[in-house]
Amino acid sequence: MSANDLDALRKEIIDAAAAAQSPQALDSVRVGALGKKGKITERMKGLGKLDGDARKAAGQALNALKNEVAGAIEARKAALEDAALDARLATESIDISLPIRAEAQGRVHPISQATDEVVSIFGEMGFTVAEGPDIENDWYNFTALNIPPEHPARQMHDTFYLAADDREGAGGEEKDQPGVLLRTHTSPVQIRTMQSVSPPIRILVPGRTYRCDSDMTHTPMFHQFEGLVIDRSTHMGHLKGCLIEFCRAYFEVEDVPVRFRPSHFPFTEPSAEVDIGCTHTRDGIEIGAGDDWLEILGCGMVHPKVLANCGIDPEEFQGFAFGMGAERIAMLKYGIPDLRTFFDSDLRWLRHYGFVPLEIPSLTGGLGG
Ligand code: PHE
């Protein structure tokens, strides 16, 4: 095997590798040279026939050729792969100037969002949602709740009456006829629930309420969340634990200070108003430890007379109730400064303060807001 021979072989293989236009063609070149029956392999096998120095010299030359050829094939392989990638990229190009998929336009109104959040918090505590009619009568809205006809609390409620209220001129039976009105709070749903289901009761009532009042902080229609728990041994400790837990979960502030301040409602005894800690900052109100308090809800132990009015024995059952303004807690959490904007139907406002429909609030998935 002469040096010329080897040079010719080198040229042949390296030319073939350089000419290969595909990985498959290149692979046949490799097999033809370095495979089991390849030209270089065959020559290596022939080394055994030589002896001594001749074998050593020929072996070294063949090894050098083998390495050179293998290197040339590798290099060609890399070049072919690069070219293939370039070709692919050229056809698969992504037009990054295309706009992203159209943005969802609809937004969830902050009142719906607050409702979903509050329902999910109380739902986790075992409450179910209950509802009642917006159009009520005197008995459900007032009398059954221990607010008799002459009670001063009726004045505070600024009631919208739907039918002429002729009670003043009337006497006898007519005096007791129920006036038809727009409910001034969600508390009548306490009565309707206690009349229709027997304890234990654990309900949360989101709903619209109406009062004849309109200024910076009042709108004629607003929303409330009412809660009612009735069982044999429910006590004030349960009320406190439940509402403290609610405040933490809703405002998403783990150690928000909660204060129970003695108050009065005709349908609860004892009664309290709940304040949460806050700080007034330059940009508004920050919920959490601070030097100020914000009133957020009314509550108390259900008055025995209310239980009796619904046919529940107050000697056997007791429980607690609470009520809060939905707009108020929504404004505090989402930083909405003006109550009246809730009902302006201004799309710019809704786009700003509204919520993305697919982000459904849950305690585990995050309440949002
Ligand atoms: N109904 C009361 C209101 O509208 C709130 C309340 C509900 C207070 C339940 C105590 C218990 O002001």
Side-chain angles (χ1 to χ4, degrees):
M1 195 173 15
S2 71
N4 276 348
D5 231 16
L6 276 192
D7 278 345
L9 186 58
R10 171 188 296 114
K11 188 172 176 345
E12 179 193 326
I13 298 171
I14 286 180
D15 285 353
Q21 292 306 320
S22 68
Q24 293 82 349
L26 183 63
D27 207 51
S28 349
V29 175
R30 183 187 61 80
V31 172
L34 305 169
K36 264 192 201 149
K37 291 185 175 143
K39 288 181 175 163
I40 296 180
T41 316
E42 289 296 337
R43 282 178 170 70
M44 293 261 195
K45 284 183 195 157
L47 286 175
K49 290 181 200 133
L50 303 176
D51 44 24
D53 289 348
R55 185 164 67 194
K56 195 175 165 196
Q60 281 172 351
L62 268 179
N63 255 331
L65 176 63
K66 184 179 153 193
N67 289 338
E68 192 184 339
V69 160
I73 290 174
E74 264 321 300
R76 179 66 188 154
K77 191 172 162 210
L80 283 175
E81 280 170 359
D82 276 357
L85 184 61
D86 285 347
R88 219 180 84 202
L89 288 178
T91 58
E92 278 184 5
S93 68
I94 295 167
D95 184 351
I96 56 168
S97 66
L98 277 176
I100 55 166
R101 240 184 276 170
E103 193 191 343
Q105 290 287 312
R107 286 290 182 274
V108 173
H109 193 282
I111 283 300
S112 306
Q113 174 77 15
T115 304
D116 290 348
E117 293 184 25
V118 170
V119 164
S120 94
I121 294 167
F122 284 106
E124 198 109 325
M125 295 190 208
F127 288 65
T128 51
V129 171
E131 285 179 313
D134 290 17
I135 299 173
E136 269 295 3
N137 65 44
D138 238 33
W139 191 78
Y140 283 105
N141 196 78
F142 294 122
T143 312
L145 287 158
N146 198 30
I147 314 176
E150 309 312 328
H151 198 285
R154 289 198 176 205
Q155 245 107 66
M156 283 155 54
H157 278 234
D158 302 308
T159 313
F160 283 114
Y161 285 93
L162 293 188
D165 190 348
D166 58 356
R167 210 178 294 113
E168 286 219 344
E173 271 178 32
E174 276 174 273
K175 200 171 162 54
D176 298 325
Q177 284 298 302
V180 179
L181 49 81
L182 293 177
R183 66 180 178 192
T184 58
H185 50 179
T186 39
S187 301
V189 187
Q190 288 189 32
I191 306 299
R192 291 185 177 273
T193 305
M194 286 190 277
Q195 279 183 332
S196 59
V197 300
S198 36
I201 293 171
R202 249 192 221 104
I203 53 155
L204 181 89
V205 185
R208 288 190 171 145
T209 49
Y210 306 82
R211 291 186 198 177
C212 186
D213 201 352
S214 183
D215 60 32
M216 271 285 283
T217 54
H218 298 89
T219 49
M221 188 280 290
F222 57 103
H223 298 75
Q224 286 190 337
F225 300 120
E226 185 94 11
L228 175 71
V229 174
I230 305 288
D231 210 334
R232 287 176 201 277
S233 57
T234 304
H235 54 68
M236 192 85 186
H238 295 121
L239 173 155
K240 291 185 71 178
C242 171
L243 293 177
I244 291 172
E245 208 43 55
F246 164 74
C247 291
R248 289 185 180 153
Y250 177 75
F251 290 106
E252 297 178 88
V253 179
E254 186 47 48
D255 50 1
V256 61
V258 181
R259 172 172 90 170
F260 290 78
R261 194 164 29 76
S263 184
H264 176 265
F265 300 101
F267 34 91
T268 48
E269 179 59 34
S271 304
E273 277 169 315
V274 174
D275 300 337
I276 52 169
C278 70
T279 322
H280 286 271
T281 66
R282 210 154 34 96
D283 319 311
I285 292 169
E286 203 174 295
I287 308 289
D291 47 17
D292 233 330
W293 295 97
L294 269 177
E295 180 194 321
I296 59 155
L297 62 88
C299 61
M301 301 305 294
V302 178
H303 197 291
K305 279 193 184 165
V306 174
L307 294 169
N309 287 341
C310 304
I312 292 179
D313 183 359
E315 297 294 325
E316 204 180 332
F317 292 101
Q318 56 187 15
F320 64 84
F322 57 86
M324 64 187 113
E327 285 77 10
R328 183 168 172 76
I329 65 162
M331 286 166 77
L332 287 172
K333 179 165 181 180
Y334 313 137
I336 305 172
D338 187 343
L339 168 70
R340 289 176 295 188
T341 58
F342 275 74
F343 309 111
D344 283 347
S345 301
D346 183 334
L347 275 178
R348 292 164 304 174
W349 183 88
L350 195 55
R351 253 175 231 131
H352 183 79
Y353 288 112
F355 291 82
V356 178
L358 292 177
E359 285 167 8
I360 297 160
S362 77
L363 277 182
T364 43
L367 289 177

